[in-house]
Amino acid sequence: MKEKTVVGFDFGTTNSLVSVVVDDRVHDLLDDDGLPVPSVVKYEGVRKVVGKDAKDALDASGLGVHGSFVKSPKTYLGDETITVEGVELSPVDITFDVIDHVRQRALLSARNDGLLADITAAVATIPVDMDGLRRRALREAYARAGIGIVQFVHEPFAALYGHFRPRIGTDFVHRFDRKNILVVDWGGGTLDLTLCRMEDGRVVQLQNAGTAELGGDVFDDALRNWVLTHGTEGTVDINPDRRRQLRHKCEELKIHLSEEDPATLYIRNFYPETGTALSKQMTRGELESIAKPLIDRAMDHIVALLDAAHVSDSQVALCLVTGGMSRMPAIAARLREFFGPHRVEISQNSATLVAQGAAWIAYDRQQLELAKDLEVRLARGGYQRILRAGTKVPVEGEALASELLGLYCADPRDGHAKFQICAPTRPGSHVQRSDPRDDIDGFSLDVDTKARPLIERLRLLTALDPDGIVEVSAQSDLFKFRVTKALHDLQFGISLGSATATTNRTDDPGPPVTQEPPEAGSLVIRSNLADTRDDSYVPGELLYTYKPTYFSRALNPPQIQVDERLYYQPCAICHRRSNDPECRCGSR
């Protein structure tokens, strides 16, 4: 039986593309014009127009009379519904419409070249800030189109893989070994950043950041607002359909100004009352003046990312820039000013690089792994690992990678056990207690306020799912309360090229845990190890279940075990929990 081909699928905010590697060569499955498919849907009753035809319709006069448009449907994933022409639609359904259309266009291109007969599995790319709810919705949309997701990969991470993979074994790759590489993926919907490091044939993420507030669409909005202020007839009221049409034309104007100077925006019959056109000539300097505040904010994000990773700009060996916005000269100039001209590379195939990287990952059958340990902070500055660096992200259908940890609450007086999840700044498992940590998220669990310190036991279950989401769940052994937190701001690593490359996994026991007295409100690790067969190491309530005579007063059992047995033993008369104020059986 022939093994199915897994493609790389870049479902983008602005454009979408499928790429596939056949016989060690990457192929982009483009539309008839040799371009990616626009992520646009137009609804005309029960009829759907998707892709290029829908985008072309944005130029038409009478816009919106016969239907409504949904542009960038990925941004709505996670919402329950959106209203389109007075009808509530599911963002998953809209996303499916685009994905299925892209799939059909890709198959048409693939069959013409004899590359593949069907698309049933994909490595799918996602923005770095896409949370678990949105990833599950995206997976469902792919499933409706008959495509199974092998794994999700961050878009800038895929771009870096696609940039280096065709050059594997060359001096170009060796030149960046043990060097830091910043990927700036600046598309229409998001600005995604990832700082990576090349180490012994592996690419490892050090720090990620992403925002939807600085994508190309935001530049288009700013340009449209400028045109409405400086290029229209006084205070003429512009209806929503014309504003949408103007925004689309501003996007085209922005693209033209990247290649020519000046450029003209023209919309026929823009003013319905007079039938006159809107014509506005703009220079590249005017566009750069409008874009400067947004570019300044983007540079602030880059500086913050480097600061969080404890890396200076001089320690970045390469800044790889991709995405549609990389073609704007002002952006390239600003990055070269910051990093130096020789360390900034603007991708020549920025529109296709993300999909190509995903296709190479699929072809190499690579599986993402956690780049860093996940830890929980303990009392007095200690840390305990809850998930090991090198843990592979399971594919769909595989068992979740999980770890169970036992803890105590050192100070339950306020009724809360505080959990702070963190990760070392440095990747890999060889981490020292003195290494800096990045806080990922935190939560609290209700505990018994009347319990003595270090009596009530807590369980912390950590699981990594196929969507690349870590779910951390804490529960009290007494109250059975459970609190769950989903973590998506994680870093991953992957081998570059061969799927049989060795990993950096080790079997070391993890960071040492401090033995100092716990501070108020902190957690401490509960050790369950003993060097001799000594009953005094066994928790009191557990020991009582198989050796009740141990607690005879004549034998003088340790008080801590007596307290444990009584704390977890319900009242023999009313069966309420210990310390329950409603239990007055003893006073009677």
Side-chain angles (χ1 to χ4, degrees), residues 254-537:
K254 177 188 69 179
I255 295 172
H256 289 322
L257 283 171
S258 298
E259 302 171 353
E260 57 188 69
D261 187 19
T264 301
L265 181 150
Y266 181 82
I267 302 178
R268 182 171 57 89
N269 297 328
F270 184 75
Y271 302 100
E273 295 83 3
T274 62
T276 56
L278 170 63
S279 180
K280 176 64 179 177
Q281 187 179 74
M282 174 176 279
T283 66
R284 184 177 295 172
E286 289 174 320
L287 173 62
E288 292 177 354
S289 176
I290 297 168
K292 184 179 183 302
L294 298 174
I295 297 176
D296 289 343
R297 287 170 56 194
M299 295 306 299
D300 291 340
H301 279 269
I302 291 175
V303 172
L305 175 81
L306 297 178
D307 288 345
H310 304 278
V311 171
S312 68
D313 60 279
S314 61
Q315 292 176 290
V316 176
L318 172 66
C319 175
L320 176 64
V321 191
T322 187
M325 293 298 293
S326 66
R327 295 193 294 268
M328 182 179 283
I331 290 176
R334 188 65 180 277
L335 289 170
R336 288 183 174 124
E337 178 185 345
F338 185 77
F339 290 106
H342 301 297
R343 288 186 287 150
V344 176
E345 182 170 347
I346 309 298
S347 173
Q348 297 302 308
N349 54 339
S350 59
T352 59
L353 186 58
V354 171
Q356 289 176 0
W360 278 114
I361 292 172
Y363 180 75
D364 293 335
R365 291 186 292 176
Q366 293 293 350
Q367 194 169 356
L368 292 177
E369 302 175 354
L370 281 181
K372 303 175 181 179
D373 287 342
L374 283 183
E375 301 172 335
V376 61
R377 289 186 185 271
L378 303 175
R380 304 291 185 184
Y383 306 91
Q384 177 61 30
R385 183 170 58 204
I386 59 177
L387 207 58
R388 182 189 301 274
T391 300
K392 289 186 178 293
V393 179
V395 299
E396 193 170 25
E398 283 186 354
L400 303 187
S402 61
E403 296 286 346
L404 180 63
L405 183 67
L407 300 166
Y408 291 111
C409 183
D411 184 359
R413 288 174 296 177
D414 62 0
H416 301 288
K418 292 93 172 178
F419 294 82
Q420 186 64 53
I421 310 302
C422 59
T425 302
R426 188 160 55 125
S429 293
H430 300 288
V431 179
Q432 304 299 317
R433 180 184 163 190
S434 59
D435 289 340
R437 262 71 172 178
D438 296 322
D439 289 333
I440 299 176
D441 212 334
F443 59 93
S444 63
L445 175 70
D446 290 346
V447 294
D448 185 1
T449 58
K450 296 185 176 66
R452 284 203 311 135
L454 310 180
I455 290 290
E456 184 174 3
R457 282 189 278 277
L458 313 173
R459 297 177 185 272
L460 189 66
L461 177 64
T462 309
L464 175 62
D465 71 16
D467 292 332
I469 302 295
V470 168
E471 189 174 89
V472 183
S473 180
Q475 179 177 325
S476 162
D477 275 4
L478 179 71
F479 287 114
K480 306 303 181 184
F481 294 152
R482 183 183 294 274
V483 177
T484 300
K485 198 78 172 182
L487 311 176
H488 69 273
D489 186 12
L490 306 172
Q491 290 80 43
F492 299 95
I494 195 170
S495 295
L496 183 62
S498 172
T500 60
T502 58
T503 68
N504 291 331
R505 285 203 236 177
T506 62
D507 294 322
D508 63 281
V513 178
T514 179
Q515 298 299 320
E516 299 177 29
E519 60 185 4
S522 295
L523 299 172
V524 294
I525 190 71
R526 183 180 86 237
S527 174
N528 59 355
L529 303 178
D531 55 357
T532 62
R533 298 187 64 180
D534 189 339
D535 287 339
S536 65
Y537 289 127

Side-chain angles (χ1 to χ4, degrees), residues 90-106:
S90 165
V92 174
D93 293 338
I94 300 171
T95 301
F96 157 73
D97 289 336
V98 175
I99 288 175
D100 191 52
H101 177 78
V102 175
R103 172 182 171 273
Q104 293 176 26
R105 298 301 304 176

Side-chain angles (χ1 to χ4, degrees), residues 92-135:
V92 174
D93 293 338
I94 300 171
T95 301
F96 157 73
D97 289 336
V98 175
I99 288 175
D100 191 52
H101 177 78
V102 175
R103 172 182 171 273
Q104 293 176 26
R105 298 301 304 176
L107 279 176
L108 182 62
S109 175
R111 286 168 181 155
N112 289 340
D113 295 332
L115 296 174
L116 71 165
D118 201 359
I119 297 176
T120 58
V123 171
T125 60
I126 55 173
V128 297
D129 66 341
M130 178 174 272
D131 60 28
L133 179 64
R134 296 170 62 203
R135 294 187 197 191

Side-chain angles (χ1 to χ4, degrees), residues 46-295:
V46 296
R47 182 172 176 262
K48 293 174 290 190
V49 180
V50 190
K52 182 179 182 299
D53 292 340
K55 186 173 183 179
D56 290 343
L58 287 170
D59 284 332
S61 59
L63 182 67
V65 175
H66 303 291
S68 287
F69 294 83
V70 179
K71 189 177 181 183
S72 308
K74 184 166 68 173
T75 60
Y76 299 103
L77 285 172
D79 297 342
E80 289 189 7
T81 60
I82 62 173
T83 302
V84 181
E85 195 73 356
V87 178
E88 288 191 346
L89 296 177
S90 165
V92 174
D93 293 338
I94 300 171
T95 301
F96 157 73
D97 289 336
V98 175
I99 288 175
D100 191 52
H101 177 78
V102 175
R103 172 182 171 273
Q104 293 176 26
R105 298 301 304 176
L107 279 176
L108 182 62
S109 175
R111 286 168 181 155
N112 289 340
D113 295 332
L115 296 174
L116 71 165
D118 201 359
I119 297 176
T120 58
V123 171
T125 60
I126 55 173
V128 297
D129 66 341
M130 178 174 272
D131 60 28
L133 179 64
R134 296 170 62 203
R135 294 187 197 191
R136 287 190 292 273
L138 182 57
R139 184 182 286 274
E140 181 182 347
Y142 273 105
R144 292 187 187 181
I147 302 174
I149 300 301
V150 175
Q151 60 186 336
F152 286 120
V153 179
H154 292 147
E155 289 167 358
F157 199 44
L160 183 62
Y161 196 95
H163 186 70
F164 277 91
R165 177 56 177 81
R167 299 174 172 88
I168 193 168
T170 67
D171 291 339
F172 179 83
V173 177
H174 295 310
R175 189 165 79 237
F176 294 102
D177 188 42
R178 303 188 184 279
K179 301 289 179 63
N180 298 320
I181 302 167
L182 175 67
V183 183
V184 179
D185 181 22
W186 207 330
T190 58
L191 167 64
D192 279 351
L193 308 170
T194 187
L195 180 67
C196 300
R197 186 174 177 84
M198 297 277 291
E199 289 188 343
D200 299 325
R202 287 175 54 77
V203 186
V204 180
Q205 291 176 310
L206 303 180
Q207 201 78 28
N208 297 322
T211 176
E213 298 178 357
L214 294 171
D217 291 345
V218 179
F219 284 72
D220 300 338
D221 288 338
L223 183 54
R224 177 186 61 185
N225 294 340
W226 187 90
V227 171
L228 288 174
T229 304
H230 297 84
T232 55
E233 298 176 354
T235 58
V236 174
D237 184 33
I238 307 299
N239 65 48
D241 293 332
R242 292 299 180 191
R243 290 176 65 89
R244 183 162 44 201
Q245 187 182 25
L246 176 58
R247 183 179 182 277
H248 175 58
K249 285 295 185 180
C250 285
E251 179 186 359
E252 293 182 345
L253 178 65
K254 177 188 69 179
I255 295 172
H256 289 322
L257 283 171
S258 298
E259 302 171 353
E260 57 188 69
D261 187 19
T264 301
L265 181 150
Y266 181 82
I267 302 178
R268 182 171 57 89
N269 297 328
F270 184 75
Y271 302 100
E273 295 83 3
T274 62
T276 56
L278 170 63
S279 180
K280 176 64 179 177
Q281 187 179 74
M282 174 176 279
T283 66
R284 184 177 295 172
E286 289 174 320
L287 173 62
E288 292 177 354
S289 176
I290 297 168
K292 184 179 183 302
L294 298 174
I295 297 176

